[in-house]
Amino acid sequence: MTLPDAYVLRLSGITKRFGPLVANDAISFELKRGEVIALLGENGAGKTTLMNILFGHYVADEGTVEVMGKKLAPGDPRAALDAGVGMVHQHFTLAENMTVLENIALGTQSPWKIRLDRVAARRRIGKLSSDFGLALDPDATVASLSVGERQRVEILKALYRDARILILDEPTAVLTPSETDALFRTLKLLVAQGLSIIFISHKLHEVMAVSDRVLVLRAGRLAGERATEGSSRSELAALMVGQHVASPTVGEPKTGSVLLELKNVSTSGQGSSTRLDDVSLVLRAGEITGLAGVSGNGQATLAALIAGTLKPSSGQMAISGAQVADWTPRAALSRGIGRIPEDRHAVGTIGDMSVTENVISERYGTPRFSRRGFLDWRAARNFAEEIIRDYDVKCPSPEARIRLLSGGNMQKLILGRALDADPVIILANQPTRGLDVGAVAFVHRRLLEARERGAAILLISEDLEEVLTLSDRILVMSKGRLSSPSKRGERSIRELGELMAGQGEAA
Amino acid sequence: MRLEPKPAPSLGVTLLFPVVAIAATLVFASLLVLAAGASPFSVFYLVAKGAAGSQFAILETLTRATPLIFTGLAVAVAFRAKLWNIGAEAQLYIGGVVTVVLGTGALPLPAIVLVPLILVASMVAGALLLAGPAVLKTRFGVDEVVTTLLLNFIVVLFVSMLLEGVLKDPMGLGWPQSQRVIADAQLPRLIQGKRLHFGFVIAVVAAVVTWVIMKKTVLGYEMRAVGHNPEAARFAGIPVNRVLMKTALLSGGLAALAGFSEVAGLKGNLTLDLSPGYGYTGIVVAMLAMLNPLGVIAAAIFVAGIFVGADAMSRTAGVPSYIAQVMVATALLTMVTAILLTRYRVRWK
């Protein structure tokens, strides 16, 4: 049965390095006609890098990509498109002010042709949408579409270009459950037509639902390959997570007084943030409160509130019993809130400034670092050296641009900046995302030390295992609402999962 | 072709870029000179001689550099915080207006009081002029490139109205020009009988002070942080909008000093040709200086030298002095490209 030409795609020995980091290490696999492969792995395992190589966004250091038996020119998205590879990115690449039809036809015609052949394009789009259950109005502007509809435009765009291989990068991350179901139905229709699909995800249940075969990536390597039928979720999870470092020993909490209290807080949900709906939360001294949930359910909004970058539309916050009136980052800092932001590149650091300039960014105005409007660069540099030493940061010098540091070292620096001020409340938002195991253990140890010291810690993480290991109490956030808290070990993983999916009790 | 980020180059390499930019400029300009039917070497020799070949030439170059230092500083400060002030031309003219309003006899004060008073007043006026676009930007997200650029035309037309109206010199034989500033409001000449005036000293001091602000003070740190990454700056508790306002006030004030110094130091009165585009050329100066306030002095002298030298050259060699505009523009383009190459590496495949 396995004729050689049944393979539509063959990756052999793909290796890609970014400086010292090996993002992909000799990865090889094949994709058959009409097959759905799931590429499973944690954040930072190298899934997206691999697909970017396949699609020509990156050039692999070693290895080759063959499509339909022909070698693909590296580093050329146009060649990948021409060979029949279509990709639906996690972040859509659509022109919002143009119509669905224009977006789909964009770039398919020779630029020398002035007029777009709308009649033919419309006919073709109409046929594709009805064949594959991708209902869309071709004349609607993309700006007026929902996220799920935009994704359909992306899929149609790929199909319009005669894609035979479709790559979907975390396609369900932004979808509601019913949109997800519709997507899965479409994928089944596509496969029935002989298309092959690579489905990138870190959600086990989706992988089980759609794929024929699962490839598990871990730290840049292919950790295992299983036929979906006959493999279990727990088996795949073990492959994905690998040998975790010995879990830190977490002693009994020495719970103290209430340090932070949110009472019936709601936000207006302007812009892109998920709105919070009547959230109440208590953080106690000496305790880690873990907040689990699927990304985009309001965790970022809650973090912004506590960090001081967002004001609520209603509700109150009290710190150590005192009402908070001014919600600004500066006020949060002065009240002893230490903050580890979710995005260390865009929010946590200023890439083109030095390590020294970055470590003082939250406290440059204090007498320690400035007098009468002048900065004390010597004190700043000493402070940077102190953090570099105490937090084991590997960097060329305090004068180096922080952009040049690896993610783990950047995170240690942010951790040092936040913890050095002996904060009474610590907001740790995805503190270990994308870090290697050693750095993860380091961050966990420091957070536990702060807990011993009597700080109240809010740990927000999409990594359920991290939440389960570290937290004394666990809350689940879903659609902008918080579940009731549960003590360590009180709820099973399944119960937590149901809460994350928005089922079960409402808070 | 694509760009990939790379580590920062050493200081030596960084200083090499203006040199490379100038060399590339000369090569390009020689092609045009050849097209004009002259020898590039003699033309460049004449430009150099006209810019620095005699005491007169050097003093003339420094005189021409003075307003460019002010507008270059104004642009450098604003661009550092990514506040795109394209309106130095307007701020310059406002500085000139304030100088003639206060300096033509309205205030009978001794020079030691009057000159600093006018200096400060013109700075305030320039600062307030840029405060408008800055408020629109921070409050309502209005693009300051558009507002500051368009303000240039509004202000120049406003000055034209003043010169045909309330500020018109009754003894001016009908020309649109203001009265001359009184002796106590004038900046002294540095050398008796030459055109170089005290404004040049003020410009150099302004550059040093600006450098200190950018490197040593809390405000300079905040401005750089806001310019590099406003979101991270906001998260760290830096009051981004307030910093942008302070930047606007500083930048507008510096640009207005150009108008003050030209009127009180050189021209003596306000006319519509007070500035042959010093506000715009300030952008070139700031970019050539890589936004470094001390570099602005050198860049301003370089640009002024090309203009002064080209004027002298065109009188003898017959090549139009427009070649100076081409050279300055080419220098800017090569410099911007060179700065890009310090931070990114080009991959052709």
Side-chain angles (χ1 to χ4, degrees):
Chain A
M1 282 300 286
T2 47
L3 292 163
D5 65 347
Y7 288 119
V8 292
L9 174 75
R10 184 193 302 261
L11 271 71
S12 23
I14 298 285
T15 299
K16 175 75 184 172
R17 298 180 197 89
F18 293 105
L21 177 83
V22 184
N24 286 159
D25 192 357
I27 292 176
S28 306
F29 70 85
E30 282 117 11
L31 178 65
K32 282 181 231 160
R33 194 177 127 85
E35 189 187 32
V36 181
I37 284 190
L39 207 53
L40 186 67
E42 292 188 287
N43 286 308
K47 296 168 296 191
T48 302
T49 304
L50 187 64
M51 289 307 110
N52 277 327
I53 289 171
L54 168 53
F55 196 63
H57 285 314
Y58 293 155
V59 181
D61 296 319
E62 286 160 39
T64 54
V65 179
E66 278 173 46
V67 180
M68 318 285 171
K70 266 189 268 169
K71 226 175 114 175
L72 200 63
D76 187 2
R78 171 67 51 185
L81 281 171
D82 291 345
V85 181
M87 184 153 177
V88 177
H89 290 91
Q90 209 169 349
H91 304 286
F92 302 144
T93 51
L94 298 171
E96 295 207 353
N97 54 345
M98 295 172 86
T99 65
V100 169
L101 185 142
E102 287 164 339
N103 264 288
I104 293 173
L106 197 68
T108 56
Q109 276 190 347
S110 154
W112 303 110
K113 262 177 96 170
I114 292 171
R115 275 174 53 91
L116 180 65
D117 189 354
R118 281 170 190 272
V119 179
R122 186 182 304 272
R123 203 179 316 120
R124 191 110 190 268
I125 293 170
K127 179 159 171 27
L128 287 171
S129 5
S130 64
D131 280 0
F132 298 113
L134 296 160
L136 275 173
D137 171 11
D139 296 315
T141 53
V142 167
S144 68
L145 300 183
S146 74
V147 175
E149 288 169 322
R150 288 177 198 210
Q151 190 174 59
R152 276 180 236 159
V153 179
E154 286 279 12
I155 295 174
L156 273 178
K157 223 166 94 181
L159 298 178
Y160 192 86
R161 287 164 169 73
D162 295 317
R164 304 301 299 160
I165 302 167
L166 197 59
I167 307 169
L168 299 153
D169 190 2
E170 304 270 0
T172 59
V174 290
L175 298 186
T176 64
S178 64
E179 284 175 329
T180 304
D181 290 343
L183 171 69
F184 287 178
R185 279 196 299 277
T186 298
L187 295 186
K188 293 243 152 66
L189 291 170
L190 291 171
V191 169
Q193 295 286 318
L195 265 82
S196 309
I197 292 170
I198 301 179
F199 185 90
I200 304 174
S201 182
H202 62 254
K203 294 182 190 160
L204 282 166
H205 62 276
E206 289 175 0
V207 165
M208 302 298 287
V210 295
S211 69
D212 302 316
R213 201 148 55 97
V214 186
L215 302 173
V216 184
L217 282 187
R218 188 173 73 230
R221 287 163 190 273
L222 201 56
E225 189 184 332
R226 298 282 185 280
T228 309
E229 232 180 81
S231 62
S232 69
R233 275 197 203 195
S234 59
E235 183 189 359
L236 293 176
L239 272 176
M240 185 163 110
V241 176
Q243 258 75 24
H244 252 304
V245 275
S247 313
T249 43
V250 182
E252 278 299 300
K254 298 189 278 278
T255 305
S257 57
V258 173
L259 291 184
L260 181 136
E261 185 173 15
L262 289 178
K263 234 190 241 163
N264 311 110
V265 170
S266 299
T267 61
S268 58
Q270 275 167 346
S272 55
S273 63
T274 311
R275 67 181 290 273
L276 292 189
D277 187 7
D278 198 25
V279 165
S280 295
L281 167 75
V282 167
L283 299 183
R284 287 195 173 79
E287 224 180 50
I288 295 183
T289 305
L291 185 62
V294 178
S295 158
N297 272 286
Q299 298 97 317
T301 314
L302 182 64
L305 274 174
I306 297 175
T309 53
L310 182 76
K311 290 181 178 59
S313 56
S314 68
Q316 287 153 355
M317 174 157 83
I319 290 174
S320 308
Q323 285 294 325
V324 170
D326 48 342
W327 303 64
T328 64
R330 222 171 238 195
L333 286 164
S334 70
R335 292 199 182 85
I337 301 182
R339 300 138 346 128
I340 299 163
E342 179 175 2
D343 188 336
R344 52 183 161 267
H345 297 277
V347 177
T349 58
I350 300 169
D352 283 322
M353 289 177 90
S354 71
V355 170
T356 304
E357 288 171 311
N358 271 286
V359 291
I360 62 166
S361 67
E362 292 182 342
R363 277 192 284 163
Y364 64 92
T366 60
R368 180 172 172 192
F369 298 115
S370 63
R371 264 179 307 278
R372 292 203 206 100
F374 280 82
L375 281 168
D376 183 347
W377 283 116
R378 187 175 304 167
R381 199 189 152 103
N382 288 342
F383 181 47
E385 278 167 355
E386 206 176 288
I387 300 276
I388 289 170
R389 194 177 55 241
D390 294 353
Y391 288 83
D392 190 28
V393 180
K394 285 181 192 62
C395 76
S397 93
E399 310 309 321
R401 280 194 297 158
I402 204 166
R403 188 184 291 288
L404 301 174
L405 269 57
S406 73
N409 284 310
M410 219 182 253
Q411 192 71 345
K412 285 177 181 176
L413 214 55
I414 292 172
L415 193 69
R417 178 175 76 190
L419 296 187
D420 184 82
D422 288 334
V424 289
I425 298 158
I426 297 168
L427 165 71
N429 194 357
Q430 319 290 350
T432 59
R433 180 185 279 176
L435 300 189
D436 63 59
V437 259
V440 169
F442 184 90
V443 171
H444 286 173
R445 211 162 54 234
R446 290 294 176 139
L447 287 177
L448 287 168
E449 279 169 23
R451 164 182 179 260
E452 286 301 301
R453 194 166 53 70
I457 299 167
L458 178 64
L459 169 72
I460 304 179
S461 178
E462 277 164 47
D463 182 348
L464 193 54
E465 205 173 303
E466 177 171 57
V467 172
L468 289 171
T469 316
L470 293 181
S471 314
D472 301 306
R473 283 187 314 139
I474 297 177
L475 297 159
V476 177
M477 192 149 219
S478 168
K479 295 183 188 125
R481 287 170 155 268
L482 274 183
S483 72
S484 61
S486 57
K487 288 236 165 58
R488 178 185 294 278
E490 212 172 53
R491 281 194 183 115
S492 68
I493 295 187
R494 232 195 62 206
E495 283 170 314
L496 290 173
E498 279 169 3
L499 286 173
M500 283 162 72
Q503 301 150 0
E505 52 121 19
Chain B
M1 179 184 145
R2 70 183 74 203
L3 298 173
E4 288 183 358
K6 68 177 186 186
S10 66
L11 182 67
V13 175
T14 307
L15 289 178
L16 200 66
F17 281 103
V19 178
V20 173
I22 291 166
T25 305
L26 291 182
V27 171
F28 184 69
S30 9
L31 298 178
L32 291 172
V33 171
L34 284 172
S39 146
F41 291 103
S42 66
V43 164
F44 291 148
Y45 170 74
L46 287 171
V47 169
K49 196 175 148 204
S54 63
Q55 191 207 27
F56 171 80
I58 291 171
L59 292 179
E60 198 53 32
T61 296
L62 295 182
T63 308
R64 188 79 72 95
T66 303
L68 290 178
I69 295 176
F70 287 122
T71 54
L73 287 175
V75 172
V77 162
F79 281 20
R80 208 24 120 197
K82 295 230 164 79
L83 177 76
W84 307 112
N85 175 16
I86 314 295
E89 188 79 2
Q91 294 136 27
L92 177 153
Y93 270 101
I94 285 296
V97 168
V98 169
T99 307
V100 295
V101 165
L102 299 179
T104 47
L107 299 170
L109 294 166
I112 193 81
V113 183
L114 188 55
V115 169
L117 182 78
I118 297 176
L119 182 147
V120 171
S122 31
M123 281 190 87
V124 169
L128 291 179
L129 185 62
L130 187 51
V135 168
L136 289 176
K137 175 191 169 78
T138 52
R139 281 284 163 80
F140 307 110
V142 181
D143 191 334
E144 74 277 19
V145 173
V146 177
T147 50
T148 56
L149 180 66
L150 293 180
L151 258 182
N152 287 339
F153 301 101
I154 293 171
V155 167
V156 169
L157 289 168
F158 172 69
V159 170
S160 168
M161 185 187 90
L162 292 178
L163 291 180
E164 294 286 0
V166 287
L167 287 182
K168 189 168 184 172
D169 182 5
M171 314 296 283
L173 302 170
W175 291 101
Q177 62 183 37
S178 76
Q179 280 182 282
R180 297 193 65 79
V181 293
I182 58 173
D184 280 342
Q186 280 173 15
L187 292 171
R189 298 283 150 112
L190 288 182
I191 301 169
Q192 202 58 44
K194 307 284 191 219
R195 276 157 49 93
L196 186 64
H197 55 90
F198 194 70
F200 180 71
V201 177
I202 301 176
V204 172
V205 171
V208 173
V209 170
T210 308
W211 182 82
V212 170
I213 290 175
M214 296 311 295
K215 291 279 166 189
K216 307 278 179 191
T217 69
V218 168
L219 177 61
Y221 171 80
E222 290 176 328
M223 283 163 62
R224 282 182 289 128
V226 168
H228 281 307
N229 186 345
E231 205 186 334
R234 194 168 99 86
F235 181 81
I238 298 174
V240 172
N241 285 347
R242 217 183 306 160
V243 171
L244 284 172
M245 281 311 298
K246 288 181 190 170
T247 308
L249 296 179
L250 182 60
S251 172
L254 284 165
L257 283 182
F260 157 76
S261 125
E262 285 294 281
V263 172
L266 189 65
K267 302 277 174 71
N269 64 356
L270 179 63
T271 57
L272 269 183
D273 58 1
L274 178 69
S275 158
Y278 288 138
Y280 302 103
T281 313
I283 299 171
V284 182
V285 169
M287 295 307 289
L288 283 177
M290 292 184 275
L291 306 187
N292 181 319
L294 296 182
V296 163
I297 302 177
I301 292 174
F302 168 74
V303 171
I306 288 186
F307 279 116
V308 171
D311 283 346
M313 177 275 300
S314 76
R315 284 193 291 272
T316 35
V319 174
S321 65
Y322 290 124
I323 193 81
Q325 309 272 4
V326 176
M327 285 174 75
V328 169
T330 318
L332 175 65
L333 290 177
T334 44
M335 190 66 195
V336 171
T337 314
I339 291 173
L340 185 76
L341 294 181
T342 60
R343 310 195 40 203
Y344 298 94
R345 150 185 321 122
V346 180
R347 282 242 183 153
W348 292 100
K349 197 58 201 173

